[in-house]
Amino acid sequence: MTALGAVFRPQLPPERLRSLARLADDSGLEELWLWEDCFREGGIATAAAALAWTERVRVGVGLLPVPLRNVALTAMEAASLHRMFPGRAVLGVGHGVQDWMAQVGARAESPLTLLREHLTALRALLAGERVTTKGRYVRLDDVALDWPPPGPAPVFAGATGPRTLRLSGEAADGTILTSATPPDGVRQARRLVDEGRRASGRTGVPHHVVVYLLAATGPDAAERLRAELAAEGTGQVPGLGAAGDADTVAEAVRRLAEAGADTVVLQPTGDEPDPESFVRFVAQEVRPRVP
């Protein structure tokens, strides 16, 4: 079954999260996703709050920019979430927006090398291993978590380009694709991820693909969707986004699932006038129409 989620966009103030998280939980939505966008809301703080306010919904962070974070701190925070809320936290890491990383003096000369080193060390620490490594960016000396997760703690990687997609297959447990990914892009991403899995001998290990889908509903849905796609520079890319009623949006979800997405996360436009209604729409109207 295709999992379905919705995004709490950080254009909303953090004090709005409590009501939306509880609504997602109560309405039966499977996943609520958060973003750590500079310079809005921190991913771990919002994820911990959303998990504490809810009982069953999974909470994803897509994604934590690795240039901002020492890997030991990422591991400590991730392990705490997994122990306090078993099976409900989904964490993704990635390059981050390079302009933002430059603004805070954290831009790496080789983002791919940094991500590879971070993923390798993070997954080892979460697996309870004692890690010593001297990489170009990640350096640990006899580091182990006192409180590692007692069970699996999957780490996802945000990826767009071919090299990062292959790396995700090699070194991550899942891949997060942006809303600029049409169905054909999902198929291509799956191929590249699988190349990485074969290269690292991980073909027998499941690899979960999450895709964001920009979506709008209501009387001005098509106009809002067109405006956001144009602002993102993707207005001419066929197959992006969905505007209309539940049948229309569900059909777009199904196309992504058929292309290889395991989870589709509906992303409201930045000017969504009623985020609560959007969550209800996803959970109560779109979900029943998606296998």
Side-chain angles (χ1 to χ4, degrees):
M1 184 179 77
T2 305
L4 201 63
V7 178
F8 174 89
R9 293 188 60 148
Q11 285 86 352
L12 294 172
E15 58 267 25
R16 293 285 300 275
L17 177 58
R18 182 175 183 172
S19 63
L20 277 165
R22 287 185 167 178
L23 176 60
D25 205 45
D26 293 342
S27 64
L29 190 68
E30 293 145 81
E31 299 187 4
L32 179 69
W33 281 75
L34 310 169
W35 295 349
E36 186 167 84
D37 273 4
C38 297
F39 298 94
R40 294 185 172 111
E41 295 151 8
I44 296 297
T46 51
L51 287 162
W53 288 325
T54 56
E55 297 293 333
R56 43 151 299 279
V57 68
R58 292 191 296 274
V59 176
V61 181
L63 46 77
L64 302 171
V66 297
L68 289 178
R69 295 177 170 274
N70 183 286
V71 69
L73 179 60
T74 307
M76 290 160 59
E77 293 183 323
S80 296
L81 291 182
H82 284 293
R83 291 187 69 102
M84 291 189 293
F85 309 101
R88 293 180 55 213
V90 185
L91 299 182
V93 298
H95 300 308
V97 176
Q98 295 306 297
D99 288 347
W100 289 341
M101 299 303 100
Q103 277 185 272
V104 297
R107 185 168 183 164
E109 289 185 8
S110 177
L112 195 70
T113 300
L114 170 56
L115 183 58
R116 180 185 296 278
E117 292 178 359
H118 196 103
L119 280 168
T120 301
L122 177 59
R123 292 180 67 244
L125 289 168
L126 291 175
E129 298 177 18
R130 184 169 297 276
V131 180
T132 295
T133 183
K134 294 182 180 180
R136 180 174 177 181
Y137 297 102
V138 174
R139 299 182 181 184
L140 300 174
D141 182 10
D142 196 34
V143 175
L145 297 177
D146 281 8
W147 297 105
V155 177
F156 287 34
T160 53
R163 292 193 300 166
T164 309
L165 286 162
R166 291 189 188 96
L167 171 60
S168 184
E170 291 178 33
D173 302 298
T175 300
I176 302 169
L177 304 175
T178 72
S179 62
T181 313
D184 283 347
V186 175
R187 293 185 184 92
Q188 176 65 9
R190 271 286 188 190
R191 287 192 289 270
L192 292 165
V193 165
D194 286 344
E195 287 179 14
R197 295 171 71 206
R198 286 192 295 272
S200 61
R202 302 183 68 216
T203 54
V205 180
H207 191 97
H208 197 96
V209 172
V210 178
V211 186
Y212 291 117
L213 172 65
L214 187 63
T217 190
D220 60 348
E223 180 182 348
R224 288 191 289 111
L225 181 67
R226 281 195 300 270
E228 181 130 342
L229 290 173
E232 294 294 328
T234 56
Q236 303 304 313
V237 179
L240 288 186
D245 60 12
D247 287 328
T248 300
V249 175
E251 176 58 29
V253 172
R254 289 193 293 268
R255 288 195 295 268
L256 291 171
E258 289 165 1
D262 299 297
T263 295
V264 178
V265 182
L266 298 188
Q267 173 183 323
T269 59
D271 60 353
E272 166 59 51
D274 190 342
E276 287 80 7
S277 290
F278 184 84
V279 169
R280 291 191 192 93
F281 171 72
V282 176
Q284 298 174 359
E285 299 185 47
V286 179
R287 172 74 274 178
R289 291 168 167 83
V290 176

